[in-house]
Amino acid sequence: LQDSTHISFGVVTTGLVLYRFKIEGSAFNGREPDEKRYTIQFAPLDSWSARLSGPPSLNWTAQYSYGRLEHPEALEPGSQLRQTASVEYVRPFTKGTLSSGSWATSLVWGRVHQVLIDRNLNGYLLESTLNFLSKNYVFSRLELADKDELFPNNPMLPTYRIGAYTFGGARDLIQNRLWQLALGADVTFYSKPPALNASYETNPVSFQIFLRVRPGLAHHHGD
């Protein structure tokens, strides 16, 4: 619901930068292509979108987008109106403040309005990562999303609001100018309506242990 990207054969985009802010507009083919992605599938540019984005200050950035997609889903009739809005905050730590690291937080909202049945699906996300003492990471990801595809054989069932609340951490085992390798783990707790207990149990929980590979740290040395 928060992903406003779209697979399209045919896009025309223009924009304008005013001081710190950018205004963009696009016309595109709103219909998803078939599975033969190696062919060019011509269609009218019948859909449109617009976005306003920019950094209000050094540590903050924000954006809002709105678009109308004409018949985007091959298996679902009707058009969609999509909106997204996000605010991000990043604070690098100075010397003596938790030592080389940073704190990054994002708040994201997305909505899909299904025009044919006049239904709104909303998604909310709050995500935060604290990097401290260079090699250590603590993160959380809190999500709420409206789901209407859990029982596809009965599309007229009401939507269900699902919550996923993730908490975890990681530590870099290797950290140099070429690459970084971290070992981490997280656990996720879920919330859902009681009507879903028969299919998804009462208190579902999941966890993972992972290795993460990233490009190395880039350092700039001034004169």
Side-chain angles (χ1 to χ4, degrees):
L1 299 175
Q2 298 154 1
D3 182 4
S4 58
T5 59
H6 182 71
I7 299 172
S8 176
F9 287 97
V11 181
V12 177
T13 299
T14 188
L16 177 65
V17 177
L18 296 172
Y19 185 46
R20 295 178 178 176
F21 297 93
K22 181 166 58 174
I23 303 171
E24 302 169 88
S26 298
F28 57 95
N29 162 30
R31 292 166 175 78
E32 290 277 8
D34 61 26
E35 296 305 311
K36 298 179 181 179
R37 302 297 169 84
Y38 51 84
T39 63
I40 298 177
Q41 301 167 34
F42 293 102
L45 305 182
D46 57 1
S47 302
W48 61 270
S49 64
R51 181 170 67 169
L52 173 64
S53 60
S57 64
L58 182 63
N59 299 102
W60 293 85
T61 185
Q63 71 83 31
Y64 172 76
S65 63
Y66 187 95
R68 181 182 177 97
L69 284 71
E70 298 295 344
H71 307 288
E73 304 292 344
L75 300 180
E76 298 179 12
S79 301
Q80 294 182 359
L81 303 177
R82 296 187 186 180
Q83 298 180 71
T84 69
S86 61
V87 178
E88 299 175 4
Y89 174 79
V90 177
R91 178 188 172 189
F93 294 140
T94 58
K95 277 189 174 181
T97 309
L98 295 180
S99 185
S100 56
S102 63
W103 176 38
T105 299
S106 298
L107 178 63
V108 186
W109 166 73
R111 169 179 287 179
V112 171
H113 177 73
Q114 300 168 333
V115 176
L116 184 65
I117 58 177
D118 192 25
R119 171 184 287 174
N120 286 326
L121 301 175
N122 291 283
Y124 307 89
L125 166 66
L126 176 62
E127 186 175 49
S128 189
T129 299
L130 176 66
N131 172 216
F132 61 98
L133 299 177
S134 180
K135 295 184 177 182
N136 303 289
Y137 304 84
V138 176
F139 58 87
S140 63
R141 182 180 176 93
L142 312 178
E143 301 175 82
L144 290 173
D146 296 331
K147 299 290 185 178
D148 67 341
E149 74 279 8
L150 299 180
F151 302 99
N153 293 331
N154 190 350
M156 298 311 295
L157 283 175
T159 61
Y160 298 96
R161 176 154 293 181
I162 309 299
Y165 316 100
T166 300
F167 305 90
R171 177 176 173 83
D172 282 330
L173 305 178
I174 299 174
Q175 189 181 80
N176 56 44
R177 66 182 185 85
L178 296 178
W179 66 301
Q180 298 171 265
L181 176 67
L183 174 64
D186 62 47
V187 59
T188 302
F189 305 92
Y190 300 89
S191 63
K192 55 182 176 45
L196 298 179
N197 288 350
S199 299
Y200 295 94
E201 299 185 354
T202 305
N203 297 302
V205 178
S206 66
F207 71 91
Q208 63 177 347
I209 300 172
F210 59 87
L211 287 173
R212 182 183 67 201
V213 179
R214 286 179 170 176
L217 297 172
H219 295 284
H220 174 73
H221 299 282
D223 295 333

